[in-house]
Amino acid sequence: MYMTTVGRADLSQVRSVRGFSLIELLIVLVILGILAAIVYPNYRSSVIKGRRSDGYAALAADQATLERCYTQYFAYNNANCPTSFPNSQQGNYSVAVSNQSATTYTLTATAIGGQASDTACATIGIDQANQKYSNGQVSNTCWQ
């Protein structure tokens, strides 16, 4: 008899402990879904903007290379000067040089891979006069 009484007492204590109801769990899931829908686009946008620094760094390094070449040979298109450049260090941009003459050049970094979704600044560029370009237009929009 004693065992059954203790068993019933334990069972009543277990029943008094309550968990979450299905409605409460659904409300929490809905709130989390709303927060995720708000936060994710902002996060994605900041990641894309952060990756632009990879393109800026590649353009700055390649610009320095061409300026050193001009300092040594008094021309950007000397046979000892590079006419092509590797992709950016993190692989988010491919870099190309155009309009390369003795006194001019234009470096352009084009977004590739995951960065290609950056349609606002798909290409960024700079020339020998330090003129900045965004999507083929003279603009500082993407350089801020």
Side-chain angles (χ1 to χ4, degrees):
M1 281 275 189
Y2 179 71
M3 290 289 248
T4 57
T5 308
V6 171
R8 287 184 184 155
D10 287 341
L11 189 56
S12 68
Q13 288 176 352
V14 171
R15 286 184 184 158
S16 67
V17 177
R18 295 197 56 214
F20 296 108
S21 71
L22 182 59
I23 303 249
E24 291 169 331
L25 286 175
L26 288 175
I27 290 171
V28 168
L29 289 176
V30 167
I31 291 171
L32 288 176
I34 291 170
L35 288 174
I38 293 170
V39 170
Y40 183 73
N42 291 333
Y43 167 75
R44 184 76 183 127
S45 174
S46 66
V47 167
I48 286 174
K49 287 179 184 175
R51 285 183 185 161
R52 286 183 197 156
S53 64
D54 185 35
Y56 303 145
L59 289 175
D62 298 341
Q63 185 179 29
T65 299
L66 287 172
E67 292 301 331
R68 277 192 304 273
C69 188
Y70 187 82
T71 301
Q72 290 176 336
Y73 306 107
F74 302 106
Y76 295 115
N77 64 349
N78 185 282
N80 295 315
C81 298
T83 57
S84 65
F85 295 96
N87 288 351
S88 63
Q89 187 174 7
Q90 296 175 2
N92 295 315
Y93 288 88
S94 65
V95 180
V97 63
S98 61
N99 192 30
Q100 191 171 10
S101 70
T103 58
T104 63
Y105 68 84
T106 302
L107 286 168
T108 305
T110 305
I112 57 174
Q115 189 64 11
S117 62
D118 184 11
T119 56
C121 299
T123 61
I124 52 176
I126 196 163
D127 64 15
Q128 80 288 342
N130 212 31
Q131 185 76 42
K132 295 174 174 69
Y133 298 88
S134 302
N135 292 333
Q137 304 280 333
V138 175
S139 171
N140 285 334
T141 305
C142 297
W143 287 83
Q144 299 174 357

